[in-house]
Amino acid sequence: ASVAAPFYWTSNVALVKTGEQSDFLVAPVAALAYQPRITNALYGLVSVREQLFYYDRFSNLNFGTFDVVAGLAYTLPQFHNLTLSGQYVYERLTTKNSFHEFFSNHSLVLTAELPIRLGRAQQFSLGADANISFAAEPDPPQRSDYDIYLGYTVRLSRSFSLDAVGRVVLRDYHLTDRLDVSEILAVAANYSITKFLTASAISTLAASQSNHSVFDYQVANVGGLVSLSIRF
């Protein structure tokens, strides 16, 4: 069970090519997850999450997202702890301060991740994702995403760690010939205040190129979060 209060400044609130506008937003989130160990190598996952996005200058962009996830993850110790997972994801977007739905999506997410440990304090993670949408309402925004990523984690002390991940994502829109390629770099510094309470500083840089150049954009986000998680 977890709650968090992310907040950040974004350089391009509407993800547009020209006429970029910056804004500050907060995005409180609450989640419940259950991850049973079925066998030594097989885990299940069921989770629900609600997140709200509140903008400072452009409050007409406020919205909420409700997600339900169910899936399995299997680790292969004989292949350097390669982890394979499959999840069903339901996503529902709502207009600000209401339960009115303006978009919903059903997708299958397949992931393969290979951890590479460097001693006890450092780890690289090499992975690939396929987020395949098979039903959406309305249809025009429907897309499937395919990406590869490289992550790095270093624990500098019991309480302090640094994370970085770089991704290249192909976004394939179902009803048009639109294809986008996005490069994303995210860096985070995390400090464990207590066993349950964590504070983080986060920065994200992203650039996207489309075969329809009107959808090209660049964006930078800088912010942080405070999260409370309880495991039992």
Side-chain angles (χ1 to χ4, degrees):
S2 64
V3 293
F7 53 91
Y8 55 95
W9 171 88
T10 181
S11 66
N12 189 352
V13 67
L15 301 180
V16 293
K17 182 178 181 180
T18 59
E20 297 94 334
Q21 295 288 328
S22 63
D23 205 352
F24 180 83
L25 64 150
V26 294
V29 57
L32 290 172
Y34 176 55
Q35 189 175 26
R37 186 172 184 171
I38 300 170
T39 69
N40 287 338
L42 182 65
Y43 293 83
L45 172 65
V46 178
S47 71
V48 294
R49 186 181 72 163
E50 175 76 18
Q51 187 167 18
L52 303 173
F53 294 81
Y54 295 105
Y55 294 80
D56 180 27
R57 297 172 56 209
F58 297 93
S59 60
N60 57 311
L61 296 178
N62 292 355
F63 72 100
T65 175
F66 175 74
D67 301 326
V68 177
V69 178
L72 296 170
Y74 187 72
T75 301
L76 301 167
Q78 66 272 33
F79 294 104
H80 305 283
N81 289 319
L82 173 68
T83 299
L84 305 175
S85 66
Q87 298 178 349
Y88 160 75
V89 179
Y90 169 69
E91 179 184 26
R92 182 176 184 267
L93 304 183
T94 56
T95 55
K96 62 178 183 179
N97 301 325
S98 79
F99 294 102
H100 176 68
E101 172 187 307
F102 67 87
F103 179 72
S104 64
N105 185 59
H106 301 261
S107 60
L108 179 65
V109 179
L110 304 175
T111 301
E113 180 174 294
L114 180 67
I116 304 171
R117 290 192 176 274
L118 300 176
R120 298 178 60 185
Q122 300 181 74
Q123 177 176 299
F124 285 96
S125 299
L126 178 64
D129 292 323
N131 187 331
I132 304 168
S133 174
F134 59 86
E137 178 62 38
D139 295 332
Q142 185 180 10
R143 75 183 191 207
S144 294
D145 293 353
Y146 308 91
D147 74 272
I148 56 174
Y149 62 89
L150 176 64
Y152 173 70
T153 298
V154 57
R155 183 166 291 279
L156 301 177
S157 71
R158 284 190 173 185
S159 300
F160 186 66
S161 64
L162 297 174
D163 301 312
V165 61
R167 293 180 179 269
V168 177
V169 187
L170 173 67
R171 309 187 192 278
D172 180 16
Y173 287 78
H174 288 210
L175 294 188
T176 71
D177 64 345
R178 178 181 167 186
L179 286 173
D180 295 358
V181 176
S182 299
E183 301 90 24
I184 304 166
L185 175 64
V187 180
N190 311 295
Y191 182 74
S192 298
I193 301 171
T194 69
K195 181 180 178 181
F196 307 107
L197 187 64
T198 302
S200 301
I202 301 170
S203 179
T204 304
L205 300 173
S208 186
Q209 301 83 41
S210 176
N211 60 342
H212 297 272
S213 61
V214 67
F215 296 114
D216 294 353
Y217 68 85
Q218 295 181 344
V219 63
N221 302 322
V222 179
L225 67 86
V226 177
S227 61
L228 175 67
S229 298
I230 300 174
R231 298 187 180 189
F232 51 89

